[in-house]
Structure formats: C-alpha cells, structure tokens
Amino acid sequence: MPTKSPAGSILPKSIRIFGQESGIIYSVEAGLFSFPYHLRTFIRSRWFPVTFMRVTPLPKAQIAALCLVRLVDPIAFTQIFPYINEFIAFLHVTDDPSQIGYFSGLVESTFAVSQLLFIYHWARLSDIIGRRPVIMTGTLGVALSTMYFGVSSSIVDLLISRCIAGVFAGTASVVHTVLGEITDSTNQAAAFPLYGLVWPIGSIIGPLIGGSFSSPASQFSIFRQTIFDRHPYFLPCFVAGLLSIVGFTLAYFCLGETLSTKRRFSAEKDYDHMSCTSKQNTDCHDDIPVSPSARELLSFPIIRALSLSGFALEANGTSFGVLYVLFCYSPIQSGGLAFPPSTIGYSLAFAGVIAGSVQVFLMPFLLRRIEAAKIYNLSIAAWPVTFLFLPTLNMIARYGLDESTGQLGSRSHSALWVGIVIVLVLSRCEHDSNQKQCPEALVFGAAFASSVFAFSDKYNVLGGYFWALLHASIALIGCSLARDITRNSKNMLTEA
C-alpha cells in the first residue's frame, strides 16, 4: 500500500534514484513519475526506502548522428511548402488557378502515403540486415529523391520524386528503435527530450530553405544562365539534399550497429527462460507478459478515446499547415493573402520557433500546475477558433488594400501580421500538445484539406470560405472526443 507524506500526498512504497552527486539527485523515479529532488531534504523525510543507481553515460556521438539523420525527415517534408503552389503554376499543370491547391495537396500527401506504406517493411528489414545499413540507405535515398524533385518538369515527376522520398523516409521508425537500444532507463530522461526537439527544429529549417532559396536567378545574377535559372526550385532541394548527405556521412562514421546487442540480450532472456523450465518452476511462465492485440486495446474506452482524439488533433494540425500555405498563396481577391514564397517560408519558420519554445518552456511549466487532460482538452477546443480566424485575415487585407498601388496600408499591414502571429501561436500550441506523429492523419489531413480548399475556391462556396467552416466543424468533433478522455479517466479512478 502507498504511504502518505507529511503534506498528505500519496507516494509509492519505494523509489529509485539515478545519478546522485554532491547532494543533488539527478532523477527520482516514483511509480509513473520522474522528478528532480534534493538529496538532503529527501533523506530527512524518510518517506520510503531508497535505491541508488548509476547513470549510464550518453553515447553523444551516436545520438548526434541519430538527431541529424532524423532532421532529414522534417526538412525534406516541409521545405516544399513555401513554393509548391508556385511550382505547380510554373509547370502549367492546370489552367484553372482554383485547382492549384488540389494538385499541391496531392504532391504533399504522396510523401506521407508512401512513408506509411513502407515504414513497417523497413522495420522488418532492419531486424534481418541490421539498423545501420537501413538508416544509411534511407538517408541517402531521401537526399537523391529531394534533388530529383527540384529538376521535375511535370506533375508526374513531382509525384514520383515525393513518393520515393516518402519510401526512404519510412526508415524513421528504425531511427526511433536505435535510440531506444543505445539508451536505458537511467539516461533516457536526458536523451528523449533532446531527440524530441529535432522535428520542431526541422520545421524551422525546412521552410527557411524553401522560402529563401527558391527562384534564385530572379534575385542574384550569379544564378542566371545556369541550371538554377532553368529549374528555379532546384536550389532549395539541392540544399536540403546536401544536408541529408551530411547526415549520411555522420551516420557512416559515428553510428554503430545495435542489432547484435539486441540479439545478445534476447539470447540471455531465452537462456533464463530455459533454465527456469528445467527447474520446473511454473511461476516463471506467469511472469511472461502477453502483448494485447490492437482490438483488445481499443476495447478500453480510455484507449479508444486517446487514439481517436490523437488522430483528430494530428489531422487538424496537418490540415492547418496545408490550408495556411494555400491561403497565403492565393490572391487577396480569391480569399487569400498573395504572399510570395519567401514570406510564406519565414512565417512557417516562425511557427517552428513557436513549436520549439512551447515544447521546451511552456509545456513543462503548465504540466506542473495544470492537469494534463485539461491542457489537452483546451488545445483541441481552440482549433475551431483557429480555422475560423483565417478568413478574418483576408478581410483585413481586402479592407486595407490600395487598388492603385496593390499594396496594403501601414495600419492594415500591421493588423494583418498581428493576426497572423495570433493564428500561428494558437496552431502551434494546439499541435504541440500532441507529441506523436501519426502517418494516417498526415495522409488524410493533407489530401482532404487541399481538396476542400480547391472546391471552395472553384465554386465560391460560402464566398470561398467553406473550407474554414468545414474544418472548424470537424475540429468540434475532436473536442467531443477529447472530453471522452477526461470522462473515461474519471470513471477508471472511481472503479479503482
């Protein structure tokens, strides 16, 4: 039975302490929780017995290699966002401007579809030939396919290159596996948060590359009469691909094979099990856990609510990313903001900065003071407001547009960017309350959002704003699913 501290809080019977030095405990593990604690105060309290464990040093070189390899995925995925609509128009894929969003969404979702289809095959292959060759193959494949994307001359080339990039990006699951195999319970608290920052950092670098390096020949004379003039979107793809090659090189020199260690550990477990059987100890079989099936897990209301609401939250975030890019690219008269790729890239990079700041500074502060389920519910509840706020930005632009110059007035320009900052802050705070990547939601969100935007624009449904109302309505469904989490968790506590 748990005991109570002098403050009245319920505490477990025992804890484990990792890395004690100079009176400071690096980490205290108590049940499901891990928290820092001062050793002197802790020993004086004598609430429960203490077990000290030595912290395993982090393999810094391998973690650095893993982080750089993992960085390849978000950069390759997001670097096309600032210019993809302009690229579609440049290739004359369609003569109907309202359909550009449909084709750009098709290109964006192709990456996620192919990644989803091959992610499990890469994981199975890594169990056969090893983690290191799979990771290196995936990193090099992403590099070459990204460069191929930049020299595409048709929609077919765009789709093939993104499909190939998605296939090789499926090796991300193996990267996750290696991280778990080179760390243990004593140092994962230090390694996992560092690794978790990779995606937000990639979402900053990717749009900056795409927005800054697209159409270089129109900005710098040195690029004229070169391949960058004939293929104006090759330079950002080349830079992104070059970063992938750097990751491949670092993995070659710094990343060791971890599969042999796993096999050795498995062999030891098999030996222990055989020894136990030879002694006819029937209790050993009772200790072997049996993994439940997906159907069995989803039979629990709390698991089902978490899965569905998590899918909804990830789909909302993906849909917003697609809609925001289309909204910024579209002319003001068509319901957008008429931003160039550079401006779109800088704003997306700013959103990435917000994402990293929220994860590092805001979320730990809030989680210490507010129940996690309440933060989760609030984040999903804000999505309808975020989607409905986007058309307001177009109204500001229309109101402040000077017809003679085609430019916004100073007041309207300031008000517009204040609104953009508010929308981006809301979107990143909401999206970062969910820290898992769901490929199924990426596929659904990208394809569905672009199709709805194209439909709204082509047929002028609700003044072209039908996409905002529909996604706000879908977000409301996510709010209902999120409330089920709190309701089911309370029921579980009551039954316990």
Side-chain angles (χ1 to χ4, degrees), residues 164-239:
I164 296 174
V167 168
F168 285 106
T171 57
S173 62
V174 184
V175 179
H176 302 334
T177 301
V178 172
L179 180 66
E181 291 174 349
I182 64 175
T183 58
D184 55 36
S185 59
T186 66
N187 57 18
Q188 286 174 349
F192 285 3
L194 179 65
Y195 182 78
L197 287 175
V198 173
W199 187 276
I201 292 174
S203 65
I204 298 172
I205 298 175
L208 281 178
I209 292 175
S212 301
F213 296 112
S214 61
S215 302
S218 62
Q219 305 178 52
F220 308 101
S221 59
I222 191 175
F223 292 109
R224 293 171 189 168
Q225 304 300 321
T226 65
I227 186 176
F228 303 110
D229 195 2
R230 298 188 299 274
H231 299 283
Y233 306 100
F234 175 61
L235 184 57
C237 295
F238 176 77
V239 173

Side-chain angles (χ1 to χ4, degrees), residues 300-313 371-380 433-434 436 477-493:
F300 293 96
I302 184 65
I303 299 296
R304 187 167 59 249
L306 280 169
S307 300
L308 292 175
S309 64
F311 178 90
L313 183 58
E371 185 182 351
K374 292 182 180 179
I375 298 176
Y376 190 77
N377 288 336
L378 287 174
S379 67
I380 294 185
S433 65
N434 181 27
K436 59 179 177 292
I477 299 176
C479 297
S480 177
L481 294 173
R483 284 195 295 270
D484 287 341
I485 297 176
T486 304
R487 184 162 48 249
N488 288 317
S489 62
K490 289 181 179 178
N491 293 337
M492 291 177 64
L493 290 174

